[in-house]
Amino acid sequence: MLDLFFLHYLCCSRMVKGAMQLWLRAIITLLILIITEGHPVDITYLQSAVAKGAVCLDGSPPAYHFDKGFGAGVNNWFIQLEGGAWCNNATTCLARTKTRLGSSKLMVKTVSFSGILSNKAKFNPDFYNWNRIRIRYCDGSSFTGDVGAVDPKTKVFYRGARIFSAVMDDFLAQGMKNAQNAILAGCSAGSLAAILHCDRFKGLLPPGAKVKCLSDAGFFINAKTVSGASHIEQFYSEVVNTHGSAKNLPQSCTSRLNPGLCFFPQNVAQQIQTPLFLVNAAYDSWQIKNILAPGVADPRGTWRDCKLDILKCSSTQLETMQGYRLEFLKALNSLGPSSTRGYYINSCYAHCQTGTQETWLRDDSPRLAGTTIAKAVGDWYYDRKIFKEIDCPYPCDKTCKNRNFESDARPLDTDNTDD
């Protein structure tokens, strides 16, 4: 709190003027929101997983943050898989070992739970009293890798699938074996993991449990770049090959397609038996930056300002983005009809919207068909109402803030992709 008072002093001091004053006010506002809307949850290191070879890229133990359920929610479980893109070869995976995305030694000890992880009914009415867990991401493969041998040159471990199994065994032992309700969810690369592991997760729980999966900003599409290259398709193929992921991807897809193509939900989701809900921006800011206009496809940086702020996009760039939206909707529609699948596709320039209070549930949160994301997801989970809505094209939705929320996102780990 002393830091807040200090910032307030600086903000109001005559020594600070103009843009700096506005910046400090914004920081103060953000800190206040974090304090009032979120709550801190400490980290847990799963040391027992090391003996099973279930380790981060650097060999450190996996970790998670666990806020126990209470009241009527003690037998309900919400598990969120953290995101953070992927590494596609020995060099990029080695680089991640020097960050929190490759080593639990470098993770912060406490994180703030808000949005769908909030423990307050006001901010999270349907899930506030559940067991709420955030599994940290340190394997670079959306929890799909499993290479037995350690890379002799880099000393890097590719064991994402083992991490998933180890933490699930731990939760089952802590009471999840008695679950009455459960959701496997994620953000970005973690959201893709939630899709890929969805049916496997359901199989771990009691037959009578109500189990569903939630994907937040995980519907990555197989689209070409502005230069016409199949950049993301090649990248995913390299991820799968490097991590030995093929055997841990849904067989309903790998039996038909090259395993690298099974990282695209458009090729997987139709065969998933467990109910699935997709929350995604049609103009997903991460996808625009890394699939449509990555640095390798934009060497002169023509798209740089546009990618940072959609208001700075030229009419030509907006037209290209409108085309990307249509391609995204085509991929979504290719899944076909489903009585259990729901979706909330807004037209915000955003990435990951369930874990941030501002976009999950607040008076000023985005709305689609007059409905917040929290209301749509809650209604779908409890079978109150199936929600399948697609927003009108940008810029018609005036509820969007387009502030580019990407707390769990990072660029692709390639040498040619901008940061």
Side-chain angles (χ1 to χ4, degrees):
M1 290 301 289
L2 288 175
D3 289 341
L4 282 179
F5 286 124
F6 178 66
L7 283 171
H8 185 267
Y9 166 77
L10 285 177
C11 186
C12 299
S13 170
R14 294 180 181 178
M15 297 170 62
V16 181
K17 301 293 183 181
M20 180 62 73
Q21 199 171 47
L22 293 174
W23 180 80
L24 286 171
R25 284 196 180 117
I27 293 295
I28 291 170
T29 300
L30 179 60
L31 288 172
I32 291 173
L33 285 174
I34 290 173
I35 291 171
T36 58
E37 295 182 348
H39 64 285
V41 180
D42 292 336
I43 198 168
T44 296
Y45 300 99
L46 188 57
Q47 298 289 351
S48 61
V50 177
K52 302 175 182 178
V55 293
C56 300
L57 289 167
D58 72 333
S60 58
Y64 58 79
H65 301 260
F66 189 166
D67 197 24
K68 291 188 180 298
F70 54 94
V74 292
N75 287 321
N76 300 336
W77 294 73
F78 179 86
I79 297 177
Q80 182 192 69
L81 301 167
E82 185 181 37
W86 312 267
C87 58
N88 63 322
N89 55 44
T91 300
T92 58
C93 289
L94 177 62
R96 283 171 79 103
T97 65
K98 309 301 191 295
T99 75
R100 64 173 178 82
L101 291 169
S103 173
S104 61
K105 299 175 184 177
L106 301 175
M107 295 173 182
V108 296
K109 302 298 186 290
T110 304
V111 299
S112 179
F113 274 19
S114 62
I116 199 169
L117 290 170
S118 175
N119 64 352
K120 297 180 177 65
K122 174 183 177 182
F123 297 130
N124 187 26
D126 286 309
F127 312 111
Y128 73 97
N129 60 358
W130 287 31
N131 294 285
R132 284 153 290 105
I133 301 168
R134 185 179 194 184
I135 301 174
R136 302 303 297 269
Y137 181 42
C138 63
D139 65 272
S141 71
S142 284
F143 298 91
T144 63
D146 190 359
V147 177
V150 181
D151 189 315
K153 293 183 179 179
T154 63
K155 309 302 181 186
V156 170
F157 297 76
Y158 302 104
R159 305 283 179 77
R162 294 194 197 186
I163 291 176
F164 183 84
S165 295
V167 294
M168 290 302 155
D169 286 345
D170 187 53
F171 301 151
L172 289 168
Q174 293 192 59
M176 196 171 72
K177 65 179 182 296
N178 300 317
Q180 296 173 350
N181 295 283
I183 295 176
L184 180 65
C187 160
S188 195
S191 177
L192 173 60
I195 294 174
L196 297 176
H197 287 291
C198 185
D199 285 342
R200 186 174 298 134
F201 176 70
K202 179 176 174 58
L204 296 173
L205 301 176
K210 186 185 189 72
V211 183
K212 298 188 179 185
C213 299
L214 170 64
S215 165
D216 179 9
F219 200 82
F220 303 99
I221 66 169
N222 190 3
K224 288 182 167 53
T225 69
V226 289
S227 66
S230 299
H231 179 60
I232 190 66
E233 181 178 324
Q234 178 184 345
F235 183 86
Y236 275 170
S237 179
E238 292 169 357
V239 170
V240 170
N241 289 336
T242 297
H243 291 267
S245 300
K247 59 181 173 291
N248 295 309
L249 299 174
Q251 290 185 358
S252 58
C253 179
T254 56
S255 63
R256 299 179 293 111
L257 300 171
N258 182 294
L261 294 174
C262 297
F263 248 50
F264 293 104
Q266 65 197 79
N267 296 327
V268 175
Q270 186 177 24
Q271 285 77 41
I272 292 175
Q273 301 300 307
T274 309
L276 173 68
F277 193 94
L278 303 169
V279 175
N280 229 103
Y283 309 88
D284 184 287
S285 55
W286 190 94
Q287 294 196 43
I288 297 298
K289 293 176 182 179
N290 293 279
I291 296 181
L292 177 64
V296 68
D298 181 37
R300 297 184 179 180
T302 306
W303 278 79
R304 186 175 297 275
D305 290 343
C306 172
K307 291 190 293 185
L308 291 175
D309 184 351
I310 195 171
L311 297 177
K312 294 181 180 179
C313 295
S314 68
S315 57
T316 301
Q317 288 170 330
L318 285 175
E319 185 177 349
T320 300
M321 289 169 66
Q322 298 292 11
Y324 191 87
R325 171 183 178 270
L326 293 177
E327 197 165 353
F328 178 93
L329 297 181
K330 181 179 179 181
L332 178 67
N333 290 332
S334 71
L335 301 182
S338 169
S339 60
T340 62
R341 190 187 311 124
Y343 48 81
Y344 189 111
I345 311 298
N346 60 19
S347 289
C348 303
Y349 188 62
H351 185 71
C352 292
Q353 301 177 81
T354 62
T356 304
Q357 200 62 52
E358 187 170 5
T359 45
W360 171 248
L361 179 60
R362 230 170 56 183
D363 290 342
D364 59 346
S365 293
R367 280 166 168 73
L368 179 53
T371 306
T372 62
I373 297 173
K375 182 71 164 59
V377 172
D379 284 350
W380 164 79
Y381 180 80
Y382 283 109
D383 300 316
R384 295 189 294 251
K385 179 183 177 182
I386 192 71
F387 193 94
K388 297 181 180 182
E389 295 287 344
I390 297 173
D391 210 349
C392 50
Y394 175 86
C396 74
D397 188 339
K398 304 306 179 185
T399 70
C400 290
K401 294 175 175 57
N402 295 324
R403 291 181 186 168
N404 200 9
F405 295 103
E406 297 195 19
S407 60
D408 266 4
R410 63 166 289 152
L412 292 181
D413 284 335
T414 62
D415 296 334
N416 298 313
T417 304
D418 47 357
D419 198 24

